Amino acid sequence: METLPILLKKEGYQKINFKVSKTKHLLIKASINGIKGTFILDTGASNSCVGFESIELFQLIAGKSKTKASGAGATGMFTQMAKDNLLQIDKWKHTTFHLVIFDLSHVNEALVQHKAKPVQGIIGADILIESKAIIDYFNNCFYLKKI
């Protein structure tokens, strides 16, 4: 009988490790347009996003968005959209990655209050669903299927 990691590898999945923060968030390292950052892996976030302060860092071209963002402790927030970016998580890549840009300061303030490090963004359900993600909480890893 094959183990789950071997079976998933045969099915085209990439194994990626995560760390659990002091606040119990799942943290991953990823890069957008070749620039590395720290992100929360968030199954409850409908879209992947970064904060306004990361537009220059990740070399994003921010465009208009009609969407208003809502999150823990905040609603109706102004957003922008950045389309067709390169997202890389370990060896897994998405070459036409769209992300939402909004005020992420409330998230980072909460992290810092709990003595955790701030993040540059959130990887949300848009990526997790598209890549047919499988999260292995016991082994602190998740699997993304190659797109």
Side-chain angles (χ1 to χ4, degrees), residues 2-3 11 16 23 28 30 33 43 47 58-59 61 68 71 75 85 93 95 106 118 124 126 132-133 136 146:
E2 292 180 299
T3 65
E11 292 295 318
I16 302 162
T23 56
I28 64 168
N33 300 326
T43 61
N47 291 292
F58 293 121
Q59 302 169 358
I61 299 172
K68 296 290 183 190
T75 60
N85 297 283
K93 292 181 184 180
T95 57
H106 66 286
D126 54 344
K132 299 178 178 145
D136 180 351
K146 295 176 185 170

Side-chain angles (χ1 to χ4, degrees), residues 128-146:
L128 298 174
I129 291 169
E130 184 177 1
S131 63
K132 299 178 178 145
I134 298 169
I135 301 174
D136 180 351
Y137 291 97
F138 182 77
N139 291 305
N140 288 357
C141 67
F142 66 110
Y143 299 85
L144 299 178
K145 188 164 184 147
K146 295 176 185 170

Side-chain angles (χ1 to χ4, degrees), residues 48-86:
S48 298
C49 55
V50 296
F52 288 122
E53 67 281 352
S54 295
I55 292 172
E56 192 174 311
L57 172 67
F58 293 121
Q59 302 169 358
L60 302 174
I61 299 172
K64 293 181 181 179
S65 173
K66 293 180 184 177
T67 304
K68 296 290 183 190
S70 298
T75 60
M77 295 182 291
F78 170 76
T79 66
Q80 290 183 294
M81 181 69 81
K83 296 183 178 182
D84 298 325
N85 297 283
L86 170 63

